[in-house]
Amino acid sequence: MSEHPTRPLLVKARISPARWTWLAVGLGGIAALFVIRSLTAETIDAGLPNQLQDLLTLAISVIVESMPFVILGILLSIVVQVWVPDTWIVRLLPKNPFARRAVISFLGMFLPVCECGNVPLARGLMVKGFTVSESMTFLLAAPILNPITIITTHAAFGWDGWVLVGRLVGGFVIANLIGWLYSRHPDQQSLLTPRFAAECRVTPSHDHGSRWTESVTLFVRETSVIMPALFIGSVVAGAIQVLVPRALLVTLGSNPLWSILAMLLLAFVISVCSNVDAFFILPFASTFLPGSIVAFLVFGPIIDIKMLALLRTTFTTRTIVQLTIVVALLSALLGLVINLVA
């Protein structure tokens, strides 16, 4: 795939019965979690086992934390696809591929959405003309290089231990390295799921009504894709948090290497929004080395259990596995460097 291919055309606005079915599954599953949690809370004496109660609480907390950003991401995606003039974003970006990806890394400063909302937004950018590698660069950089994340990280750590600088610089470098690596792929479209790749190739239809109608159709379509993934990812994340003893992870914190590996595992298991994860990890700062804290703050917004489910709506399993391994290795290397200089 060339670095600057002809821009894919807007997908035809059409909602299949399967879309409605998946939308019902996603919304129904999320609603069921809240109903079950509410009913068991009222009958706590004869309620569910503690582990199941904890699973429900953790899954619901992930949904409550993620939902506003998911909706915001879908709305921004619609704005990009329907309301922004064709080629406007692509035309404003530099032609040089390295400078282009560097600028894309900072789009999060203007689109401050956490990692959950970035998935639908990245899908919209690909439909609008971004290459897969450019979309990946945005997807990896935006949760870290956005004003909310910067403010909360500074509020939690200040300038101590290179945590803030390491997170921002590390996130930028890793996102651009990943973008460069996948820009060398001979067929970037093969990195996408067949369904999403087909959506990017569909010739636009001009007989489906106004932009408002098209916006509503896109909202339903994106919601039908993202909501089931969010429901399943939240339940799986809650289950693993219940089953994996956190005390085991904490005991590893004093070793330069094991502390990084433990934090990468913790970041993968604990699905915390990038906008608030600095406050979550702050209590661990007294027992874990700075490099491991930075590794957590860089790896977590890119790869965790919830994100795997969301990424699967767009990328093939092979692509996600490769992405996970490379990002984990780069995050670990970043943590080791921070441990040496901090």
Side-chain angles (χ1 to χ4, degrees):
M1 188 174 187
S2 63
E3 192 68 44
H4 304 293
T6 301
R7 184 178 66 80
L9 299 172
L10 191 63
V11 296
K12 184 178 181 179
R14 181 171 60 84
I15 303 174
S16 66
R19 296 284 192 190
W20 290 109
T21 301
W22 279 111
L23 179 61
V25 169
L27 294 179
I30 292 172
L33 290 177
F34 282 88
V35 170
I36 294 173
R37 184 68 183 87
S38 176
L39 292 176
T40 55
E42 294 176 358
T43 58
I44 190 167
D45 292 338
L48 300 174
N50 289 337
Q51 282 193 324
L52 192 51
Q53 291 276 12
D54 292 342
L55 188 156
L56 288 172
T57 301
L58 291 168
I60 289 173
S61 67
V62 171
I63 291 172
V64 170
E65 191 176 66
S66 307
M67 186 68 76
F69 295 99
V70 169
I71 299 298
L72 178 59
I74 292 174
L75 294 177
L76 288 174
S77 173
I78 292 171
V79 169
V80 169
Q81 293 186 59
V82 179
W83 297 96
V84 174
D86 287 354
T87 72
W88 186 76
I89 294 179
V90 177
R91 187 179 299 167
L92 289 178
L93 294 173
K95 301 298 182 186
N96 179 278
F98 292 98
R100 186 181 178 90
R101 284 191 292 271
V103 172
I104 288 173
S105 303
F106 290 99
L107 288 182
M109 299 298 290
F110 308 99
L111 305 169
V113 183
C114 80
E115 65 268 25
C116 308
N118 277 323
V119 176
L121 184 52
R123 289 164 57 87
L125 290 173
M126 274 188 277
V127 172
K128 201 65 176 177
F130 276 34
T131 64
V132 176
S133 59
E134 290 169 352
S135 181
M136 280 187 176
T137 303
F138 167 79
L139 191 61
L140 271 56
I144 297 172
L145 299 173
N146 80 65
I148 300 175
T149 301
I150 294 173
I151 290 171
T152 55
T153 305
H154 181 267
F157 294 97
W159 298 101
D160 296 337
W162 294 77
V163 173
L164 176 59
V165 175
R167 185 180 203 187
L168 299 181
V169 175
F172 175 83
V173 172
I174 290 175
N176 280 269
L177 275 175
I178 294 292
W180 175 76
L181 283 174
Y182 280 103
S183 73
R184 312 304 297 172
H185 197 286
D187 181 15
Q188 293 191 35
Q189 290 295 319
S190 66
L191 303 171
L192 304 175
T193 61
R195 170 177 288 186
F196 183 64
E199 290 178 0
C200 293
R201 291 193 296 267
V202 171
T203 302
S205 173
H206 299 293
D207 59 356
H208 52 263
S210 67
R211 287 184 174 184
W212 287 108
T213 302
E214 190 174 349
S215 298
V216 172
T217 304
L218 282 173
F219 182 83
V220 174
R221 194 193 69 191
E222 287 297 300
T223 305
S224 70
V225 173
I226 299 298
M227 289 303 170
L230 179 61
F231 163 61
I232 295 171
S234 301
V235 172
V236 173
I240 292 183
Q241 288 183 64
V242 170
L243 297 175
V244 176
R246 296 189 189 186
L248 175 63
L249 299 175
V250 174
T251 57
L252 303 174
S254 59
N255 182 282
L257 177 59
W258 285 109
S259 65
I260 293 173
L261 298 179
M263 275 297 167
L264 292 179
L265 179 59
L266 186 65
F268 183 77
V269 172
I270 307 294
S271 300
V272 183
C273 175
S274 63
N275 293 334
V276 297
D277 59 0
F279 292 112
F280 169 83
I281 204 63
L282 182 59
F284 293 85
S286 59
T287 52
F288 276 72
L289 296 172
S292 63
I293 300 294
V294 173
F296 174 92
L297 293 173
V298 171
F299 183 70
I302 300 173
I303 302 292
D304 62 33
I305 295 171
K306 168 184 85 282
M307 279 297 290
L308 291 186
L310 294 174
L311 290 173
R312 189 64 185 87
T313 64
T314 304
F315 300 103
T316 63
T317 301
R318 179 187 178 91
T319 304
I320 295 174
V321 171
Q322 292 174 343
L323 188 66
T324 301
I325 294 173
V326 175
V327 172
L329 291 175
L330 292 174
S331 299
L333 178 61
L334 173 66
L336 289 172
V337 172
I338 296 294
N339 279 341
L340 288 176
V341 301

